[in-house]
Amino acid sequence: MSVARQSMSQDALQRRWQERCRQGNFSSAVLGLGTVRVFGRSGDAPVTFPRVESLSALDMLEADERWALQNAQDLVDAAQTRRRPVMATQPPRAGVSPNPTPVREFDPKTEHILILSLTQGG
């Protein structure tokens, strides 16, 4: 029964986060939205999270914002555990070549994080 409650709680937090993103009503510690894009998923689905100066700002966030930030960090950590390449990049801009940099540790200020598919040559 606790698993069902936890799932419902996670679902409720996810719904609240999605609604917050639609309304744009964020806590004062939120710098803006960040995106984790996981390649290899259906449509390379983006996952949004609240960008904050550091993880020490967690106590200034609402529960759904903390959930979204933890979700993004968990995605990055899981990808690194599986040795998938994780890169940070700037938002795309016309006429500017992207300059991705490897992510060694989740940084909650990062705007765009790409989790790439493993390619094995042969």
Side-chain angles (χ1 to χ4, degrees), residues 1-13 15 67:
M1 185 155 124
S2 65
V3 172
R5 278 189 180 173
Q6 184 178 9
S7 293
M8 286 176 52
S9 176
Q10 296 296 312
D11 290 343
L13 289 170
R15 283 192 302 274
W67 172 86

Side-chain angles (χ1 to χ4, degrees), residues 51-96:
R51 291 179 38 248
V52 293
E53 192 63 37
S54 73
L55 294 176
S56 65
L58 286 177
D59 60 342
M60 299 170 62
L61 301 177
E62 295 294 328
D64 59 305
E65 293 170 321
R66 287 192 303 272
W67 172 86
L69 189 59
Q70 185 64 56
N71 185 43
Q73 184 173 8
D74 290 348
L75 283 171
V76 169
D77 291 347
Q80 289 174 327
T81 297
R82 288 193 221 74
R83 299 190 182 276
R84 288 183 70 172
V86 180
M87 307 295 281
T89 187
Q90 295 298 314
R93 292 183 299 190
V96 177

Side-chain angles (χ1 to χ4, degrees), residues 105-121:
E105 185 175 302
F106 181 77
D107 180 353
K109 290 184 293 193
T110 305
E111 284 187 65
H112 292 282
I113 299 171
L114 308 175
I115 298 176
L116 306 175
S117 297
L118 275 177
T119 53
Q120 298 179 354

Side-chain angles (χ1 to χ4, degrees), residues 6-64:
Q6 184 178 9
S7 293
M8 286 176 52
S9 176
Q10 296 296 312
D11 290 343
L13 289 170
Q14 182 178 14
R15 283 192 302 274
R16 283 180 59 193
W17 171 246
Q18 290 169 341
E19 185 61 28
R20 185 179 301 277
C21 289
R22 277 191 288 280
Q23 294 176 351
N25 183 22
F26 302 104
S27 298
S28 61
V30 175
L31 304 171
L33 287 178
T35 304
V36 177
R37 188 170 294 272
V38 182
F39 289 85
R41 283 192 173 174
S42 177
D44 300 330
V47 174
T48 58
F49 64 94
R51 291 179 38 248
V52 293
E53 192 63 37
S54 73
L55 294 176
S56 65
L58 286 177
D59 60 342
M60 299 170 62
L61 301 177
E62 295 294 328
D64 59 305

